[in-house]
Amino acid sequence: PNRYTQRELIQELEYLGFAETFDFLYLPLDKGTMMNVGYAFVNFIGPEWAQKCMQIFENYRFKRYRKISAKIAAVSVAHIQGLVA
């Protein structure tokens, strides 16, 4: 949901067991609304964590704002991988 802040998204990932499994997270903001634009980039420290995240987040309903948002997550792999990219 676009109401999520970067901190809330990190907390959700940690709640789902992904604490200390990623070294980069970027949640772009719309400069007009200062809300996120609906997607994030997460760089996991290993491919097994990325795969687990993809399994959990496919069709996932976010914990916060569940009652006011019916948005469901979709996950895809970035075309360019890694921090160096």
Side-chain angles (χ1 to χ4, degrees), residues 17-54:
F18 294 104
E20 300 182 26
T21 66
F22 56 95
D23 55 8
F24 177 83
L25 184 140
Y26 175 56
L27 184 65
L29 294 180
D30 179 309
K31 292 183 187 201
T33 65
M34 294 310 291
M35 294 179 147
N36 78 64
V37 295
Y39 60 87
F41 297 96
V42 182
N43 189 71
F44 288 93
I45 58 174
E48 67 279 4
W49 290 110
Q51 184 63 36
K52 182 177 179 182
C53 184
M54 288 179 69

Side-chain angles (χ1 to χ4, degrees), residues 1-3 38 59-62 65-66 68-73:
N2 64 349
R3 289 188 174 105
N59 297 315
Y60 179 79
R61 289 196 61 208
F62 287 88
Y65 311 114
R66 242 181 220 173
I68 59 174
S69 175
K71 294 181 181 176
I72 297 174

